[in-house]
Amino acid sequence: MDFLPVYIYFIALSFLVSIYKLKKNSQFYLKIFSPFLFLTLCVEAYANYLSSINKSNIVIYNFFSAFEFCFYLFLISFIIQVRKIKNLARYAAGIYGLLAVLNILFVQGVNTFHTTTYAAGCLIIASFCVRYFYEIFRIPGAGKLENNPAFWICAGLLFFYCCGFPLWGLMNIWSKWIVIELETFSGINYLLNSFLYLLFTIAYLCSRTRNSISLSS
Amino acid sequence: MQQNQELYFIVIIGILLGLLLVSFIIGTLILYRRRQQKQDQEMARVKDMYEKEVLHSQLEIQENAFRSISQELHDNIGQLLSVVKLSLSTLPLEKDHKAAPLVSHSQKVLNKAIIDLSNITKSLYTDRITDLGLAESISYELLAVKNTGMYETEFTVTGDEFRLPEKTEIFLFRMFQEMLNNIIKHSAATHIMVSLTYHPDGIFVMSVEDNGKGFDVEQVRSSLSSGKGVGLKSMFNRAKLMGAELKVVSNFNKGTRLEVKFISNL
């Protein structure tokens, strides 16, 4: 029996921690994040199963990564405080989803990884995360930043997509000059994913319920 | 061999990425904390400014109220008492009339009331403080206390007297009145010593000392009770507002010494 890639264990860990730490009065984005982690775990496990029986999983990754971008944009819209940016993130999620599906179905094709819309998605997510960091530095809150789950989530997303942009988004360009083994490529991808889900786990571990935040501040 | 190289490559990339991530998080946390501290300092500064402004307005309102009361007492009650005094003195009474001693007693009481009213009017009237100067106003106030016969008073002025800003003189005089009031009300003292020191470099020191029973300064200052320590807190507020330093030293059964130090820009 083949072992699953290490980052899948990190997804499982973050999902279990999210279940354990989720309270009735937790923020809304944390509540919707937990089922999303479960969905990610299922999709990743199924994609790995397909890979293990030598079947292509590109279709799954194409649609799921497009959905991921839309979900993260929707999530960020709950984290950001400025109403205009919130609305912008929601519109961006809708428009991005539509364009990504069109690209997958009619431009790059379902059996090719949607590098163009993936690169665009990386840049959009990174921009909104940068906007979040700008916001927290402009008006720092009363509590500790390390107790704010949004900080860990946005730090993870910013890091993952900043590194993922050249890796996945520009893959078609750099693969012409650099020859790299598929295992090495997957290894780096696993590392990035592991870091991402580790930060999501920390987000839940460090989070405090809203009552305890207001009491401490 | 090839596999080992790939593994090393992944490990190195992993370490580099990990370091990058950790340094990003630590850097962000440090910057955030600094920004937070800066914002807290800014908030404290604004709050301080706001408190000073509120205090300033309160004191201005108080001074205006004092001026109005003083004016009213002088122009209205004072005039009425004078009319009554005149009427009593013009009563056509023979010395042996049975109402004569009563009228004479009433005249004495009335005279006392007129003098007391005049003293109150003078101490309330702000313009008089600035006209006479701080030393003269304090000396006048002390004389009134001495005249009650209950206290021994001592007043010394050291150095060449110079005028302080108008508002500062009013604040200092009101602080002195509060100190005197506290001595009379709470200290059970018999001796009051007041000294004003004018240093040539613009430093002014006013000290008020008594031989009363003393009190726990910190307890009174930090008292949450609405009525307790109001006078002392008000003195500290006035000192803060005019940029002066107020020191209070008190020993049980040995007395209390209050010292206000103000640096004037001569």
Side-chain angles (χ1 to χ4, degrees):
Chain A
M1 187 196 150
D2 283 344
F3 284 106
L4 288 167
V6 68
Y7 74 90
I8 292 188
Y9 296 103
F10 278 103
I11 301 173
L13 178 71
S14 60
F15 169 64
L16 290 175
V17 171
S18 76
I19 294 282
Y20 176 71
K21 294 287 283 186
L22 211 62
K23 299 272 170 355
K24 255 188 177 176
N25 57 351
S26 293
Q27 287 94 331
F28 179 69
Y29 67 87
L30 289 179
K31 284 181 183 168
I32 57 169
F33 201 45
S34 198
F36 170 77
L37 287 171
F38 180 68
L39 180 68
T40 310
L41 183 65
C42 296
V43 171
E44 289 287 352
Y46 183 62
N48 270 279
Y49 164 74
L50 287 179
S51 175
S52 69
I53 56 166
N54 292 323
K55 280 192 175 177
S56 170
N57 54 17
I58 287 215
V59 180
I60 290 176
Y61 276 126
N62 266 342
F63 286 104
F64 186 67
S65 58
F67 169 73
E68 261 185 325
F69 281 120
C70 295
F71 177 81
Y72 287 139
L73 283 170
F74 188 63
L75 187 89
I76 290 169
S77 77
F78 285 99
I79 291 172
I80 285 177
Q81 302 291 318
V82 181
R83 187 168 286 275
K84 267 187 184 176
I85 311 293
K86 264 179 190 287
N87 291 338
L88 190 67
R90 281 172 199 169
Y91 286 129
I95 293 166
Y96 176 83
L98 189 71
L99 290 176
V101 170
L102 287 174
N103 180 38
I104 293 163
L105 293 176
F106 305 111
V107 184
Q108 288 190 284
V110 281
N111 293 314
T112 313
F113 189 66
H114 67 124
T115 49
T116 322
T117 35
Y118 190 89
C122 289
L123 290 178
I124 294 169
I125 295 281
S127 313
F128 277 102
C129 289
V130 168
R131 183 62 183 75
Y132 165 76
F133 282 103
Y134 170 74
E135 193 176 282
I136 59 167
F137 277 105
R138 206 163 58 98
I139 315 157
K144 285 180 177 178
L145 189 59
E146 54 266 37
N147 290 333
N148 187 354
F151 163 69
W152 295 103
I153 292 171
C154 285
L157 289 176
L158 181 65
F159 182 77
F160 181 79
Y161 286 113
C162 280
C163 298
F165 172 70
L167 199 70
W168 289 101
L170 306 178
M171 187 169 66
N172 291 344
I173 299 166
W174 60 256
S175 60
K176 287 175 189 166
W177 295 295
I178 305 163
V179 181
I180 193 161
E181 289 289 324
L182 191 67
E183 280 78 16
T184 314
F185 187 80
S186 304
I188 296 168
N189 184 40
Y190 291 171
L191 273 173
L192 287 174
N193 271 295
S194 304
F195 283 137
L196 177 69
Y197 292 102
L198 183 69
L199 287 179
F200 288 166
T201 311
I202 296 173
Y204 278 99
L205 288 175
C206 295
S207 70
R208 288 183 184 178
T209 54
R210 269 181 284 195
N211 280 351
S212 60
I213 289 172
S214 64
L215 279 173
S216 66
S217 59
Chain B
M1 189 69 182
Q2 176 77 17
Q3 258 192 333
N4 276 347
Q5 270 186 344
E6 275 171 18
L7 193 69
Y8 287 141
F9 180 69
I10 292 171
V11 169
I12 290 167
I13 291 283
I15 291 169
L16 286 176
L17 287 176
L19 284 175
L20 190 70
L21 180 62
V22 169
S23 48
F24 170 75
I25 288 168
I26 292 174
T28 309
L29 289 175
I30 291 171
L31 281 175
Y32 182 81
R33 201 150 288 177
R34 276 191 197 159
R35 185 83 183 82
Q36 216 175 21
Q37 278 172 352
K38 208 175 157 187
Q39 204 199 20
D40 288 347
Q41 282 170 356
E42 186 62 21
M43 287 286 281
R45 195 185 64 80
V46 171
K47 197 180 163 201
D48 196 50
M49 258 178 61
Y50 172 75
E51 276 176 2
K52 273 190 176 177
E53 202 63 40
V54 169
L55 200 64
H56 193 85
S57 307
Q58 276 178 347
L59 293 175
E60 207 149 284
I61 292 165
Q62 197 183 47
E63 284 306 324
N64 284 339
F66 281 167
R67 187 177 284 134
S68 305
I69 293 166
S70 151
Q71 198 94 35
E72 206 57 34
L73 286 175
H74 181 264
D75 297 349
N76 198 351
I77 315 286
Q79 291 301 318
L80 287 175
L81 290 178
S82 298
V83 170
V84 175
K85 187 184 168 185
L86 197 72
S87 307
L88 282 177
S89 63
T90 53
L91 274 177
L93 285 178
E94 295 297 324
K95 273 188 180 176
D96 52 351
H97 192 279
K98 63 177 181 182
L102 204 63
V103 170
S104 170
H105 177 70
S106 299
Q107 275 176 323
K108 278 178 193 166
V109 173
L110 195 60
N111 278 340
K112 174 91 172 59
I114 288 170
I115 291 166
D116 286 352
L117 188 74
S118 167
N119 286 341
I120 292 168
T121 309
K122 281 169 190 165
S123 70
L124 284 176
Y125 197 56
T126 311
D127 291 351
R128 193 172 170 277
I129 301 160
T130 48
D131 288 348
L132 284 177
L134 184 66
E136 192 63 32
S137 305
I138 287 175
S139 128
Y140 189 83
E141 203 73 1
L142 271 178
L143 189 70
V145 173
K146 193 181 180 181
N147 286 343
T148 61
M150 292 166 75
Y151 301 94
E152 280 293 313
T153 61
E154 211 175 292
F155 180 53
T156 53
V157 179
T158 317
D160 289 331
E161 195 179 331
F162 51 79
R163 291 305 296 261
L164 296 164
E166 197 177 295
K167 272 190 177 163
T168 308
E169 285 199 338
I170 296 168
F171 277 14
L172 284 165
F173 184 70
R174 295 290 177 226
M175 283 170 82
F176 165 76
Q177 281 183 315
E178 189 61 50
M179 290 171 192
L180 207 60
N181 194 28
N182 283 345
I183 293 171
I184 294 166
K185 268 163 74 178
H186 309 292
S187 75
T190 54
H191 200 95
I192 303 168
M193 287 152 285
V194 180
S195 80
L196 303 183
T197 312
Y198 294 86
H199 291 276
D201 51 359
I203 297 174
F204 167 80
V205 181
M206 175 174 84
S207 79
V208 178
E209 208 173 337
D210 67 62
N211 64 344
K213 59 184 179 184
F215 66 101
D216 186 339
V217 182
E218 277 316 304
Q219 196 192 9
V220 174
R221 264 197 90 178
S222 58
S223 168
L224 293 173
S225 159
S226 57
K228 211 173 178 186
V230 175
L232 195 66
K233 281 172 199 162
S234 142
M235 273 191 280
F236 274 103
N237 282 341
R238 279 183 197 267
K240 190 180 166 189
L241 195 62
M242 64 185 199
E245 195 186 314
L246 173 65
K247 270 189 209 166
V248 185
V249 182
S250 188
N251 295 307
F252 284 108
N253 298 322
K254 283 184 180 170
T256 305
R257 180 186 162 87
L258 290 101
E259 190 180 283
V260 190
K261 190 176 173 185
F262 177 77
I263 302 170
S264 171
N265 302 316
L266 287 175

